[in-house]
Amino acid sequence: METNVIEANAVLDLMWILIAGILVFFMQAGFTLVESGFTRSKNVINIVMKNFVDLIVGSLGFWIIGYTIMYGESIGSFIGSPSLFYSVREDMHNLFFQTVFAATAATIVSGAVAERTKFSTYIIFSLVMTVVIYPISGHWVWQGDGWLTSLGFIDFAGSTVVHSVGGWAALAAAALVGPRIGKYTEGKSNAIPGHNMMYGALGVFILWLGWFGFNGGSELAISGESSYNVAGIIITTNLAAATGAVTALILTWVRYGKPEVSMTLNGALAGLVGITAGCAAVSPTSAAIIGLICGLVVVFSIEFIDKKLKIDDPVGAISVHGVCGALGTLLVGVFAIEGGLINGGGFAQLGVQAIGVLGIGAWALITSFIVLFILKKTMGLRVTKEEEIEGLDMHEHDGDAYPDFTIDR
């Protein structure tokens, strides 16, 4: 009987990891819809192709070598011992779950460089992200013997490991590729409205749903006590998203005189990114506060990056994933039930969180900049002026996402 229970629990845990991975897989559709909706109709096919490539290239590259770079036997607490074509039968569920995480990190870059980036160059960078940049920093935290693990760094589901890595890579990419034509004139930032906010909203709903697998699946089990842990993680995740959205809604209503839809949607994403590090370590009340803080910060961060730094990020990816990923990771050191500043833990955990945020942030930003700079000087990052004006769908893919309709392009 005891053996049967153990076997049943093992099967249940494996099934939960697979189901959670399928939810995270579906997030790729969410990212595609958000990026498409927040940008112009003449580039929709290009965006579909980039997000599709992130998944297919990421799946292959991570299986071929990325997984072992991340989870192989540690070499100096820095990198896993690489081997090719991972095929351990008993670990295929973990390979799938981690593969969709890798694809997510790469996809974050897509939105920040939308509407002006060469498709061929993007494919190469996506591959480098999923087989080198993301797996190495992920090894530091999640393999078990990484240098940040030994310090006690907490990033349960990847506010920094996944989202900040993608966000800082997006910052390097957007800075190097430059702004879209017409975005800045005489030092002023000009709005370039997205063509379909229904796509954007539907994408956020899909991402919100997928995040329950993203965070809940990171428990890596659902039997026994883990069932209560997963339920708690889903509650903290949901509360942070809700408070992030309502905070951005109220803030934009006050600042702009109207409740602004794109900022409200990004407020929900900011809350989700922010809670991902501490979803298993904080109380529901603290999760709501983290969501509130991230919903507040994301609005000012998007404005600062756009209007002060003059970096063109059509979807707000740098702020949502880079800034709020880092912020949410730091806030674990404040709100963690065990060791958090407000719970009597002092500044020790906060200090460790800061080391992890800075270390991984520097790694992602520097390595991404180097790779992208080399690609810029060799293949080129950007399409021609004529191609950008007429649309990437036509020139990069010989297609039109809306051939039977006349709409504002």
Side-chain angles (χ1 to χ4, degrees), residues 26 87 90 110 359:
F26 192 42
S87 60
E90 294 79 14
S110 177

Side-chain angles (χ1 to χ4, degrees), residues 148 152-156 158-161 163-164 168 270 273-279 281-282 286 289-291 293-294 297 321-343 345-361:
L148 282 174
F153 180 68
I154 298 172
D155 188 0
F156 185 78
S159 287
T160 287
V161 172
H163 294 282
S164 274
W168 302 136
V273 170
I275 195 57
T276 296
C279 55
V282 304
S286 294
I289 296 170
I290 289 171
I293 294 169
C294 290
V297 168
H321 299 278
V323 174
C324 290
L327 179 60
T329 308
L330 289 172
L331 290 174
V332 175
V334 177
F335 292 105
I337 294 172
E338 296 182 10
L341 179 63
I342 67 168
N343 292 309
F347 288 92
Q349 188 63 53
L350 183 59
V352 170
Q353 298 301 105
I355 291 170
V357 166
L358 291 172
I360 292 177

Side-chain angles (χ1 to χ4, degrees), residues 256-272:
Y256 310 144
K258 300 285 185 179
E260 209 280 324
V261 61
S262 65
M263 286 291 195
T264 302
L265 295 173
N266 269 333
L269 296 180
L272 288 163

Side-chain angles (χ1 to χ4, degrees), residues 91-386:
D91 202 34
M92 290 295 98
H93 56 296
N94 284 322
L95 172 62
F96 174 66
F97 188 66
Q98 297 303 331
T99 294
V100 290
F101 270 56
T104 296
T107 293
I108 291 165
V109 180
S110 177
V113 298
E115 304 198 286
R116 73 268 200 204
T117 304
K118 283 186 176 182
F119 182 64
S120 55
T121 308
Y122 181 83
I123 293 173
I124 293 174
F125 183 71
S126 178
L127 179 62
V128 174
M129 272 288 290
T130 49
V131 303
V132 180
I133 297 173
Y134 166 74
I136 288 177
S137 56
H139 180 88
W140 303 348
V141 181
W142 286 345
Q143 185 268 352
D145 294 318
W147 68 274
L148 282 174
T149 305
S150 65
L151 291 180
F153 180 68
I154 298 172
D155 188 0
F156 185 78
S159 287
T160 287
V161 172
V162 178
H163 294 282
S164 274
V165 166
W168 302 136
L171 174 61
L176 281 170
V177 78
R180 291 168 290 175
I181 295 169
K183 176 61 180 174
Y184 300 107
T185 54
E186 299 179 353
K188 179 184 176 183
S189 174
N190 303 306
I192 302 179
H195 86 284
N196 193 325
M197 293 314 296
M198 176 59 76
Y199 284 0
L202 180 58
V204 171
F205 277 121
I206 291 172
L207 289 170
W208 194 330
L209 171 67
W211 233 288
F212 297 137
F214 200 99
N215 288 359
S218 294
E219 174 74 11
L220 302 180
I222 201 168
S223 60
E225 286 295 313
S226 288
S227 61
Y228 297 110
N229 295 341
V230 169
I233 288 165
I234 288 175
I235 287 297
T236 55
T237 300
N238 194 58
L239 288 172
T243 53
V246 76
T247 301
L249 185 155
I250 294 170
L251 179 59
T252 56
W253 205 333
V254 171
R255 284 174 64 82
Y256 310 144
K258 300 285 185 179
E260 209 280 324
V261 61
S262 65
M263 286 291 195
T264 302
L265 295 173
N266 269 333
L269 296 180
L272 288 163
V273 170
I275 195 57
T276 296
C279 55
V282 304
S283 69
T285 301
S286 294
I289 296 170
I290 289 171
L292 185 154
I293 294 169
C294 290
L296 187 72
V297 168
V298 75
V299 174
F300 293 108
S301 177
I302 288 173
E303 290 185 358
F304 178 78
I305 289 170
D306 179 27
K307 296 178 180 178
K308 300 298 182 182
L309 298 184
K310 299 293 191 296
I311 294 175
D312 183 15
D313 178 1
V315 304
I318 300 165
S319 297
V320 169
H321 299 278
V323 174
C324 290
L327 179 60
T329 308
L330 289 172
L331 290 174
V332 175
V334 177
F335 292 105
I337 294 172
E338 296 182 10
L341 179 63
I342 67 168
N343 292 309
F347 288 92
Q349 188 63 53
L350 183 59
V352 170
Q353 298 301 105
I355 291 170
V357 166
L358 291 172
I360 292 177
W363 164 259
L365 188 61
I366 293 169
T367 53
S368 298
F369 184 88
I370 291 170
V371 172
L372 288 161
F373 186 79
I374 292 171
L375 290 173
K376 183 175 183 177
K377 294 300 181 181
T378 53
M379 299 178 62
L381 290 178
R382 191 166 181 139
V383 298
T384 66
K385 179 180 179 181
E386 292 73 21

